[in-house]
Amino acid sequence: MQEHNILAPKIFSNDPIQLQFEIINIVKQKKSRGLEVALYDYHDFSPEIIYEIQKIETHKKMLHLWQKKVYLNGFLNNDDDIYKSFFYENNYAKNELKINKAIIHNNKAQTPLPFDTNNIENIKRYAHDCFSTLSYCYNKGLKLHIENIYENLNFFEIFFNEIIKFNMNQTVGFCLDTGHVRVFSQESLNQWLNLIHFLNSEKISIHYHIHLNDGHTDQHLSLSESNSLGLLEPISAWTPDGYLIWLKSAFATTPNAIFCQEHSALQAKEAFQFFDLLSS
């Protein structure tokens, strides 16, 4: 069976267990490049699902730290006992799921950072404040990939320049969320892909969240839903050449990255069929 080498599904720990098995089978049957798993507010996966996740090759797996209390700005300063046990004492990702990469948001509950993110010195200071967290997690066997939400392109250009300047490249990755770019950023996906080119050249690992929206609300629409709404067509401020043209450029730029369908597992099954039609 031919491997897609492109799209990857995502399962949440609170998804129905039968659906989790179905999605994992898509990965096992080589219809997908990998799998993203999301722990939803300490709702753990069942032992049967954990066993199946463990069997997937490590480089094909990504953990999304979805808990409301798990965020980069304050990661080491949390007083929640469950939180500390979950990530520090048990080293859950490495020991239970056999995963060594995770996505994390900059701030809690997807809210903006509590400082002016257009101020260069603020961003540099924040990058340095993150060094200890990134090193701590990396030494625990978990490389954190920072996801863009409200932050603009300028924020990440300055942030990663500081990372590179102080030789922290190996401790951190970047997750480009294409839907967040449209809702919260003033730049096009082509401009963000220039950042990806740069990070890739500096050996900073890349992950993608693939979903679309109407430009007003973070709807997390699948490719097929977006196609029916005309959102795959060129949109000057976001995808001047069309979303699928941009997606192919991203594939070519980072051929080893995981392109996760950042929507429900049910939609992921249908989206694979849609992508088959596009590729035929």
Side-chain angles (χ1 to χ4, degrees):
M1 190 175 295
Q2 188 175 5
E3 187 172 2
H4 279 285
N5 282 331
I6 297 173
L7 300 176
K10 178 174 187 170
I11 57 173
F12 288 87
S13 53
N14 61 338
D15 281 335
I17 190 167
Q18 184 56 41
L19 180 59
Q20 293 180 28
F21 273 117
E22 289 179 32
I23 294 302
I24 287 172
N25 281 334
I26 288 176
V27 180
K28 288 168 63 177
Q29 292 166 9
K30 297 185 183 292
K31 285 187 176 182
S32 165
R33 131 148 333 166
L35 176 69
E36 186 176 310
V37 301
L39 292 161
Y40 190 81
D41 282 343
Y42 304 114
H43 189 293
D44 199 0
F45 289 100
S46 70
E48 296 85 358
I49 292 295
I50 289 175
Y51 177 70
E52 294 297 329
I53 292 172
Q54 288 175 346
K55 290 194 293 184
I56 297 172
E57 296 168 88
T58 302
H59 72 277
K60 292 186 174 183
K61 295 183 287 191
M62 175 69 82
L63 173 66
H64 194 170
L65 299 175
W66 194 264
Q67 289 86 349
K68 294 173 184 175
K69 294 183 178 180
V70 181
Y71 53 94
L72 188 59
N73 180 34
F75 193 90
L76 295 180
N77 301 316
N78 197 293
D79 295 327
D80 188 283
D81 289 337
I82 298 176
Y83 175 99
K84 287 184 176 179
S85 172
F86 206 65
F87 291 103
Y88 301 168
E89 296 168 19
N90 297 337
N91 205 351
Y92 181 86
K94 180 180 179 181
N95 295 335
E96 290 294 320
L97 300 177
K98 311 301 182 188
I99 291 179
N100 60 12
K101 304 184 294 292
I103 298 158
I104 193 166
H105 300 159
N106 266 316
N107 208 26
K108 57 185 176 182
Q110 300 188 14
T111 55
L113 284 162
F115 58 81
D116 179 6
T117 53
N118 291 310
N119 183 295
I120 294 175
E121 293 308 313
N122 281 347
I123 300 170
K124 288 182 177 181
R125 192 176 304 113
Y126 175 70
H128 286 260
D129 288 344
C130 294
F131 285 177
S132 58
T133 298
L134 296 172
S135 295
Y136 176 89
C137 292
Y138 182 75
N139 290 332
K140 280 278 191 176
L142 190 65
K143 180 184 286 192
L144 297 180
H145 289 60
I146 304 168
E147 178 181 350
N148 62 298
I149 301 183
Y150 294 98
E151 306 86 8
N152 60 22
L153 180 58
N154 179 66
F155 173 90
F156 282 105
E157 288 173 341
I158 295 168
F159 179 91
F160 279 109
N161 271 318
E162 286 301 294
I163 291 287
I164 293 162
K165 181 179 178 181
F166 288 88
N167 299 313
M168 297 286 290
N169 308 40
Q170 78 279 7
T171 69
V172 64
F174 178 56
C175 173
L176 176 60
D177 187 298
T178 64
H180 292 166
V181 168
R182 184 164 194 209
V183 177
F184 304 120
S185 169
Q186 300 300 312
E187 303 91 2
S188 72
L189 277 175
N190 289 350
Q191 290 171 289
W192 283 83
L193 194 58
N194 289 335
L195 173 65
I196 297 294
H197 274 287
F198 172 64
L199 298 181
N200 201 38
S201 71
E202 294 291 338
K203 307 270 189 300
I204 291 175
S205 60
I206 305 297
H207 185 79
Y208 294 87
H209 279 169
I210 302 302
H211 62 97
L212 296 91
N213 56 65
D214 61 6
H216 304 290
T217 306
D218 191 19
Q219 297 164 294
H220 285 251
L221 300 174
S222 69
L223 289 174
S224 50
E225 287 178 303
S226 302
N227 183 54
S228 66
L229 295 170
L231 296 176
L232 299 183
E233 299 302 316
I235 298 172
S236 59
W238 185 48
T239 51
D241 303 312
Y243 190 84
L244 293 179
I245 297 296
W246 178 86
L247 200 52
K248 289 178 181 178
S249 296
F251 296 155
T253 300
T254 48
N256 296 317
I258 294 175
F259 291 78
C260 172
Q261 301 176 85
E262 171 76 337
H263 43 66
S264 76
L266 279 173
Q267 289 173 308
K269 291 167 60 179
E270 178 262 345
F272 279 116
Q273 296 171 354
F274 175 73
F275 205 87
D276 278 339
L277 292 174
L278 291 179
S279 305
S280 61

